[in-house]
Amino acid sequence: MPSVGVAEIVSTVVQPDLFAAAIRIATPLALAAIGGTICERSGVVNIALEGLMLISAFFGVAAALACPVVLGITGVAASWIGVLAAILAGVVMASLHAFASITLKSNQVVSGTAINILALGLTGFLIQVFYQRTGTTDSAVLIPPLFAFDPKPSGGLATAWNWFSGVALGHTPLVYITIVIAIAAQWALYRTRWGLRLRALGEHPRAADTVGISVVRGRYMAVLMSGALAGLAGANLTLEQVGSFSENMTAGRGFIALAANIFGRWTPVGSYLAALLFGFAEALEIRLQAFIGVIKIPPQFFLMLPYILTVVVLAGFMGRAVAPAAVGKPYEKE
Amino acid sequence: MPVLELRGVTKVFPGVVANDDVSLTLERGEIVALLGENGAGKSTLMNVVYGLLTPDGGEILVDGNPVRIRRPRQAIDLGIGMVHQHFMLVETLTATENIVLGREPTRLGVVDLAVARASVVELSERYGLKVDPDKRVMELSVGMQQRVEILKALYQGARILILDEPTAVLTPQEVTELFGVVRSLVTAGLSVVLITHKLEEVLASADRVVVMRDGRVVGETRPSDTDEISLARMMVGRDVVLRVEKGPANPGEVALEVTDLDVDDDRRLHAVKGVSFQVRRGEVVAIAGVSGNGQSEIIEAIVGLRRPRGGSITLLGHDITHSSTASTIAAGVSHVPEDRHRRGLVLEFDLAENLILGDHRRMPFSRRGFLRPKAIAATAKKRISEYDVRTPSASVLAGNLSGGNQQKLVLARELGRDPECLIAAQPTRGLDVGAIEFVHKRILAERDAGKAVLLVSLELEEVQSLADRILVIYEGRLVAEFAGGQVDAETLGVYMTGGGRGAASGVSTTGGVSA
Ligand SMILES: Nc1ncnc2c1ncn2[C@@H]1O[C@H](COP(=O)(O)OP(=O)(O)O)[C@@H](O)[C@H]1O
Ligand SMILES: [Mg+2]
């Protein structure tokens, strides 16, 4: 076994692509987490993020694959239609959660869990129906990165440029859209009438009701918006990262997104930053796997990293995280 | 023409007729007091007016026009504002945000906080309602929160203001300020419905009094034509003793002994400083003081809810300084906590469950970890009738009872286990005269049965009518001791606010004056 120094490992791992990967991995987490933030700020728990992401990841691919046949649209345009389909699928699925938890006043955790199970079963089943096989769909055309840039210009600033372009410029459109959404949602939450009312709904719906704000309408809107954002997350997974859909491909990302929302203290930018932290842990894990033979640490340790980080963050730092006071409680009028 | 008129309003809840054919008028610029015991239906009536509840019958007229109010929004649009018994404020938002919520000044959907803040400041100055517009509600005192509520109603354009038990949560100074504000509101042309069960407030401030009992209007009068005794009789439906009769105390052995107790508060500040006192069997010892001078911390230390920093607490010779609540209860201490909602009851549990809390580990209520429903139900039934808890059944949730009945429930549990020592913190807070009479009688009955009673109260009336010995606490120290009946309210007030120490030589200040 060759001996490798710590310095060598660090210089191999700490490269622009480590940070680029962190941003890439963080994107679906952040989208879903911001969806969770908006939903929970209105007073509705959304543990269905996982299922919402999964179902829209599937319908995104399915729509993109159907486009050439049905609409005669091919290539990247088809994939963009897939993105719209993913959003729509997320919204439709979220409307089930909204109906169950707001109109029927059923337990929101149960409703969310039901949606997660439904999404898993339904997508697995539809793969078979549409593509006559199990496990994976065909591949759609991936949406390419937004910017093309020259890899290595010469000159004194070459290193800085390579780092900047390597970290920030190689991404697909939804990665940038996510950053815009995080900032815009943060602004909207704290500056607009919609945001003020949303915060009131999640803290004290009766107080909102007594000044004439419709609790039901506000909560429906919030849940549907979380569906749309989880839909974008699903679209990013299949149409920008992987190309095809495979069974249970979200693999718990919806739950990590939920944790990111909590770690981000129910704020959009906080959610984004928390997602970035989780993304970084996963990116690091992937890089470090290359050294499994070298470092005398069991390989499972690296796989555990993102999850350990989640647990440490939630248990250690988050003792004082305060959820919206009315979250999870159906609103009873009398 | 009255600004507001109710004709035959009826509202039925499952098992209760909360409002039975209630009629009422309110003239412009008038203060009408709606007086009644807890559970009389006052809040229900006003919630109907505010559109929070849908009436089962009757008519509401505003400015002479019949109106249907089905949502608070409609009430607001008609110029009706309401300050609820439990504030409708979003704690995490600022005072300004709360006040403008629902009618935010916006530009293209963006809240214009500068405009909002300016209107709040303007209103607050016009009516003398001082608030800090930028503080979050959770950082405001209760009195300040109430002003935010009133400002909220005014901001929404209220001409008719309903105040539901506004004084229940206020200190005496805040009450005086509130009535000043109310007067300036009626001078400005508003009309006010003041819900209360405090007789002196009614007599001092109202133009007209409407008395409710069991969902019906049982009388209407003017303050000049009545007095406290007859109002109390109208309200309760029988003669009420405003001050219970009490025989001389017969103190026995020392039951509770607190020595050099030091306790920190939630902020880790030294709140109780070397406090020592004894409570003997057969006497009521009261700790009088202004809220926040260490009373709560003393009690929490005794009952095991707070770890003392130093000193000792013994009950009948056993050291209970560091006992858990479970072993403190087992040792014979019962506790009527100051906040019955947070500490006295589990509001989501039914009455029977609440009645065995703390005893649930013991026979006959459980055996080998299993509850015994029959024994629980039997005891619940007995205690409910013994303590006159008014409820359709033992399976009603505690949260659905009125305040007075909730307090009777707490007493039924705490006294039902036959303690050696009763610790009662503000046992009549928020209760009406009938319920106060009941609670006071029960406490004295415990004393006469040879129990030691430690009372903590902010109400000097209560201290004076119950205590055999009065200890005055100020900034965590006992600053004076008096024999019951030997001191007037003014003197107590002086000691409670840190004065009078020079004169303290005239009275004993350490454990000497035990009746
Ligand atoms: N939401 C409700 N459901 C069932 N019963 C209720 C409800 N609200 C009030 N009540 C009952 O109606 C009666 C009147 O209550 P309330 O109007 O709150 O009295 P008050 O304000 O005079 O103390 C009480 O017996 C109470 O238990
Ligand atoms: Mg009431």
Side-chain angles (χ1 to χ4, degrees), chain A residues 172-219:
Chain A
T172 48
L174 286 182
V175 172
Y176 301 108
I177 290 175
T178 303
I179 296 172
V180 173
I181 287 176
I183 295 168
Q186 181 86 11
W187 177 82
L189 188 61
Y190 289 100
R191 289 280 178 274
T192 65
R193 174 166 61 196
W194 167 80
L196 181 65
R197 291 182 173 189
L198 186 74
R199 286 182 287 147
L201 284 184
E203 287 291 333
H204 198 333
R206 214 174 157 74
D209 192 11
T210 53
V211 292
I213 297 169
S214 165
V215 178
V216 169
R217 200 170 62 206
R219 287 188 167 178

Side-chain angles (χ1 to χ4, degrees), chain B residues 54 57 89 106 117 146 159 218 269 281 359 389 391:
Chain B
T54 309
L89 294 173
T106 54
R117 195 176 180 286
Q146 185 174 64
R159 299 174 292 129
V218 292
L269 300 178
R281 285 183 178 279
D359 298 309
V389 181
T391 173

